[in-house]
Each structure stands twice: as structure tokens, then as C-alpha cells.
């Protein structure tokens, strides 16, 4: 029994908690991989979310429309292809807490990051710098560094990296504020994650935005690990832009079409951008004129006509999010991750150390685990779990990530993970 009495390590407690879960039925909507005659315990929704049952049928429907109508499906399909991206807009906006006109589903994450930096990273001689976190996801690091070089600046001085300073290896709010005080006048763009992919730390989007904008910086967020994980309020945060992918918590399949957010206050401003015909004003797009007139809002950042086969899975997935609601998902997520954390501390604290912030509001569902002892031990434990149908992931050099996602994970899955870690300890030490 826990000190607080909130949790209990027994199986009966986990089963009862799952039975009492109002969102438990959503698990049925997903295809759970099997291994050794049973379902795996899947903790990799932060990397590739599971396939919703409805995805195959939605894809087949688009293939059928293509077969039956060919080009006419742009107008005559059950969901006409012409404005297909609009079918996901409202649900996408709801997931990230934005106005519908502020979001668009297009391209992939790294592409959107570059496209929006074209508009929102406008370095000058006095203000050339980008502020990111040290140890950022490689694609983000490559993107900002190449943008800095593209504008003729030197990353050695124009890339400022926040160092983790807290005892738990995360970045404190004070460090962010200190960096803004020290370098704010030189910073053109602050680009931080909503949830850091390796540590699982969640950032306060609104506080960062206010502090950075007060110093004249533009603010963008990479929400790869936050979209569909945290109950975001992107519009209210006031940030200038954001990007995310849809194959992680948003369960839209490998390489799924990504998302972008452009704050309403930029809807009508003439910013530099790389233009394409699908960003052109919808009313006159097919007059095929030579002059680009952007659609106001996020839609104006599109280049190409919508990828129907990539958008169909996103549409299916977002319908599940609409039904569940981000507020309810986050409430379950807090309980589930809180339970996993408690079990880990209670039962296997001698094996793993949690590298994700302890405070629930400073993390999403993911817990990053460092295995105590020699490096090889972490890898060995990871393989032990794999062999038992427990799917976590391994990130070099020494982090194992486990993300109980509220749409399809259960308390019994968390219990199975911790029991397998305990078994490994008992067999090997
Ligand atoms: C997953 C992830 C990416 C991946 O980028 P793609 O363009 O989708 O391949 C980039 N950045 C972050 C922070 C991520 O978590």
C-alpha cells in the first residue's frame, strides 16, 4: 500500500482501476500486436502509435473512390479530395487547443519546421540567434543549424543551447529566464519542445512565450511529443508558430502527415514564405494566375495538394481523440503515469532511476528510465523486456523510454512492465 493510499501494488487493484476507467473502451479501437500467444504491453506510443481499427477501411474507401471516379473523386468522392485537409481541421485544432484557422495538416514535421522558419526566423546582424535546448532531437538541431548558415550566420555564436541544470537532469524555468535575460536582445527565435523527447520534460509554453516575446523574440514550439499527449492551449500560449508529427501519440501511421500552427495574429501579415499553389487563396486558385495571393491563416502555408492516403488515417485517429477529449485523456494519463512511477519507485528503485520530472505538470505520459549499474545492464534489461512482449524503446546512450498512453494502455500493462524488471533483477543480481 502506498504512503498516500492512492495506489496498491496488487493485481486486483490494477484490474479494478482498469474496470473503473471511463476510457477503457478505446483500447478496443486499436490493433494490439501479439507475441508468444498474447498481446504485447505496448509502451512505444511516443514513437509510433498503434493502428486504429478504422484506418484500413478509411484507406480502402479512398482507394475505392480513386478506382471508381479517378479525377472526379476530387468532387464526387464520399469525402471530396479537393478540400480534404479541411476534414481534419477542427479535430486537429481541438487536440492542440487552437482555432481551426490556426492549424493545417501538411507535409512532415522537419519540412514544416523549415517552412515556418522561413517565415519566422528572420535574423539580423544585431539579432541573429536561435535558442534551443542542448541535446535537442537531431532533426531539429540540423534544421536550426542549417537555417542559421543559410542566412549567413555562424552557428558557433548564433546557436544558443540551454543546458540542463536541475538535479534530475532537466532544464529549470530559471535557466530559461536567465538565458533570455542574458541573450534575449540577440535572439531572433526561441525554439523549444513541448515535451523533450529524451527526458520527457514538459515545458510551460505560455510562460516561455511571454518571457521571450517580452524580449522581442519570436517563439516556436516543436510539439512532436506533446500533441495528443498534453492538454495543450496553443492559441492561449500566444506562441507564434508550432509544428508536430502525427505518427507518435496521434496514431496516424508511419510517416503520417504532420501538423502546423500559425497564431491568428499572423493570419493576414505578409511574411516571407516559400509558396505553393495550395497556399493560394482558395477562391482564385484555379484561375491559375501567376501572382501568389496567400489564403489567410495556416492554410496559406501549404504548398501542395493534400495527400489523401496520408490524411485518411489522420482523420480516423482524430475522430477518436474528439470522442475521448483531450481533458479526459490527460486526466487518465496523469493517473496511469503516476501509477507507473509509484510502482517503479516502490518495487524496482534499485534497478532503474527515473530521469523525467517528478511533478506531474512538468511531464506528459512518458517516463525515461536510466538503468543503474554498468551501461550494458540497460541494454540487457531492454532485451529481457523485448523477449517478454513488453515494448519500450532504447535511446542511446543509456535511456529506456516507457510511455503509457491513455487511449490504449492499462494499469495491468504498467504492472507487467515493473514485474518484468523485478524478475530480471532477481535473476541477474
Ligand atoms: C519524432 C521527432 C522528429 C521527427 O521528424 P520527422 O520529420 O517526422 O521525421 C523531429 N523532431 C522531434 C523533436 C521529434 O520528436
Amino acid at each position: 500500500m502506498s504512503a498516500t493510499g492512492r495506489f496498491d501494488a496488487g493485481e486486483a487493484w490494477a484490474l479494478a482501476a482498469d474496470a473503473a476507467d471511463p476510457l477503457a473502451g478505446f483500447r478496443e479501437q486499436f490493433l494490439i500486436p501479439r507475441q508468444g500467444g498474447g498481446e504485447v504491453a505496448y509502451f512505444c506510443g511516443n514513437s509510433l502509435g498503434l493502428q486504429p481499427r478504422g484506418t484500413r477501411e478509411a484507406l480502402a474507401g479512398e482507394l475505392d473512390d480513386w478506382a471508381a471516379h479517378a479525377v472526379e473523386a476530387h468532387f464526387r468522392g464520399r469525402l471530396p479530395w479537393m478540400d480534404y485537409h479541411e476534414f481534419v481541421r477542427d479535430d486537429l485544432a481541438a487536440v492542440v487547443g487552437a482555432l481551426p484557422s490556426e492549424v493545417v495538416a501538411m507535409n512532415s514535421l522537419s519540412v514544416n519546421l523549415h517552412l515556418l522558419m522561413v517565415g519566422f526566423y528572420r535574423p539580423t546582424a544585431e539579432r541573429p540567434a536561435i535558442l534551443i535546448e542542448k541535446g535537442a532531437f537531431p532533426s531539429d538541431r540540423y534544421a536550426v543549424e542549417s537555417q542559421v548558415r543559410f542566412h549567413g550566420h555562424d552557428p558557433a555564436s548564433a546557436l544558443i543551447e540551454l543546458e540542463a541544470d536541475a538535479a534530475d537532469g532537466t532544464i529549470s524555468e530559471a535557466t530559461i529566464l536567465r538565458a533570455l535575460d542574458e541573450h534575449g536582445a540577440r535572439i531572433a527565435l526561441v525554439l523549444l519542445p513541448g515535451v523533450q523527447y529524451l527526458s520527457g520534460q514538459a515545458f510551460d509554453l505560455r510562460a516561455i512565450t511571454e518571457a521571450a516575446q517580452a524580449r522581442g523574440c519570436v517563439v516556436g514550439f516543436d510539439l512532436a511529443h506533446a500533441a495528443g499527449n498534453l492538454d495543450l492551449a496553443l492559441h492561449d500560449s500566444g506562441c507564434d508558430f508550432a509544428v508536430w508529427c502525427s505518427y507518435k501519440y496521434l496514431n496516424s501511421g508511419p510517416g503520417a502527415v504532420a501538423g502546423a500552427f500559425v497564431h491568428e495574429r499572423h493570419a493576414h501579415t505578409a511574411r516571407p514564405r516559400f509558396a505553393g499553389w495550395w497556399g493560394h487563396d482558395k477562391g482564385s486558385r484555379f484561375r491559375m494566375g501567376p501572382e501568389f495571393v496567400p489564403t489567410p491563416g495556416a492554410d496559406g502555408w501549404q504548398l501542395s495538394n493534400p495527400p489523401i492516403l496520408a490524411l485518411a488515417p489522420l482523420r480516423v485517429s482524430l475522430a477518436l481523440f474528439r470522442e475521448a477529449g483531450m481533458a479526459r485523456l490527460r486526466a487518465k494519463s496523469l493517473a496511469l503515469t503516476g501509477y507507473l512511477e509509484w510502482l517503479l519507485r516502490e518495487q524496482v528503485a534499485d534497478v532503474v532511476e527515473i530521469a523525467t520530472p517528478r511533478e506531474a505538470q512538468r511531464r506528459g505520459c512518458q517516463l525515461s528510465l536510466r538503468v543503474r549499474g554498468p551501461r550494458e545492464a540497460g541494454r540487457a534489461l531492454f532485451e529481457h523486456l523485448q523477449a517478454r512482449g513488453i515494448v519500450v524503446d532504447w535511446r542511446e546512450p543509456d535511456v529506456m523510454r516507457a510511455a503509457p498512453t491513455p487511449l490504449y494502455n492499462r494499469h495491468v500493462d504498467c504492472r507487467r512492465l515493473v514485474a518484468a524488471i523485478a524478475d530480471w533483477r532477481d535473476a541477474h543480481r
Side-chain angles (χ1 to χ4, degrees):
M1 191 63 77
S2 76
T4 60
R6 251 180 95 197
F7 304 120
D8 178 310
E11 186 181 23
W13 189 91
L15 286 167
D18 290 332
D21 168 16
L23 301 180
F26 283 95
R27 181 179 168 85
E28 296 299 313
Q29 302 289 326
F30 290 88
L31 297 165
I32 316 275
R34 300 180 69 82
Q35 180 178 328
E39 287 175 340
V40 302
Y42 194 74
F43 291 100
C44 271
N46 58 340
S47 187
L48 182 73
L50 293 181
Q51 182 184 144
R53 283 187 189 278
T55 303
R56 184 178 294 267
E57 193 188 318
L59 278 170
E62 301 308 337
L63 291 173
D64 290 346
D65 278 353
W66 182 16
H69 306 298
V71 71
E72 286 299 314
H74 282 94
F75 315 100
R76 288 208 277 127
R78 282 158 290 189
L79 295 161
W81 293 344
M82 186 64 103
D83 299 313
Y84 202 93
H85 65 283
E86 295 179 9
F87 300 137
V88 299
R89 178 187 289 150
D90 290 359
D91 291 338
L92 196 57
V95 161
V96 296
L99 303 175
S101 63
E102 290 175 321
V103 300
V104 63
M106 60 179 189
N107 313 312
S108 50
L109 169 55
S110 303
V111 172
N112 287 345
L113 187 54
H114 273 297
L115 290 177
L116 289 178
M117 278 198 283
V118 167
F120 290 95
Y121 171 52
R122 306 301 303 165
T124 61
E126 306 75 50
R127 203 186 263 280
I130 302 182
L131 179 73
I132 60 172
E133 89 278 21
K134 193 169 182 160
F137 193 94
S139 199
D140 301 53
R141 183 77 172 57
Y142 306 153
V144 293
E145 182 166 335
S146 60
Q147 288 269 339
V148 165
R149 287 189 200 283
F150 176 76
H151 286 281
H153 295 283
D154 180 1
S157 57
L159 209 52
I160 303 171
E161 294 176 290
L162 289 167
E163 300 256 7
D165 62 314
D168 59 3
T170 59
I171 300 168
S172 71
E173 204 111 282
T175 287
I176 301 174
L177 294 178
R178 217 174 312 115
L180 288 171
D181 276 338
E182 193 179 332
H183 306 289
R186 287 185 59 238
I187 295 173
L189 171 67
V190 171
L191 181 73
L192 289 173
V195 173
Q196 218 281 342
Y197 83 100
L198 195 57
S199 70
Q201 176 180 5
F203 289 87
D204 184 336
L205 306 191
R206 186 166 178 166
I208 291 170
T209 300
E210 281 173 5
Q213 287 176 345
R215 289 156 180 88
C217 318
V218 170
V219 181
F221 289 108
D222 185 328
L223 305 177
H225 283 265
N229 179 12
L230 299 178
D231 191 10
L232 297 164
L234 214 41
H235 173 83
D236 290 343
S237 81
C239 75
D240 295 288
F241 74 92
V243 291
W244 59 92
C245 54
S246 310
Y247 47 83
K248 291 171 180 165
Y249 294 103
L250 292 182
N251 308 320
S252 300
V257 70
F261 164 92
V262 178
H263 197 279
E264 188 189 28
R265 70 175 167 279
H266 300 299
H268 296 275
T269 57
R271 299 195 80 86
R273 74 180 90 190
F274 288 168
W277 72 318
W278 230 257
H280 186 95
D281 171 52
K282 206 172 133 178
S284 59
R285 183 186 297 144
F286 281 90
R287 283 190 215 135
M288 307 305 249
E291 195 187 323
F292 178 72
V293 180
T295 305
D299 270 12
W301 293 81
Q302 294 174 101
L303 270 64
S304 299
N305 73 96
I308 306 306
L309 298 179
L311 283 167
L314 179 61
R315 190 172 58 73
V316 169
S317 171
L318 289 174
L320 296 174
F321 277 87
R322 184 205 315 136
E323 210 182 320
M326 267 324 296
R328 288 204 302 165
L329 284 167
R330 175 63 172 158
K332 174 174 172 186
S333 176
L334 289 169
L336 204 56
T337 294
Y339 171 67
L340 176 59
E341 177 192 28
W342 178 80
L343 274 181
L344 288 164
R345 289 195 199 284
E346 194 81 354
Q347 311 214 313
V348 291
D350 55 337
V351 188
V352 294
E353 168 191 9
I354 300 175
T356 301
R358 246 194 131 134
E359 308 90 313
Q361 77 281 5
R362 292 183 67 226
R363 69 184 184 208
C365 67
Q366 171 187 326
L367 294 180
S368 304
L369 311 177
R370 268 204 194 88
V371 183
R372 298 184 195 276
R375 281 259 158 102
E376 313 80 68
R379 193 71 219 185
L381 172 56
F382 173 69
E383 281 159 17
H384 168 91
L385 296 175
Q386 263 189 327
R388 277 151 193 80
I390 296 169
V391 187
V392 295
D393 75 6
W394 178 257
R395 282 290 174 272
E396 294 294 340
D398 61 352
V399 173
M400 217 167 61
R401 303 183 302 175
T405 68
L407 268 174
Y408 47 76
N409 281 118
R410 305 166 299 186
H411 291 80
V412 291
D413 298 325
C414 296
R415 199 168 171 280
R416 192 172 147 194
L417 166 61
V418 176
I421 296 174
D423 284 348
W424 178 78
R425 170 195 57 207
D426 298 344
H428 290 85
R429 292 196 177 166

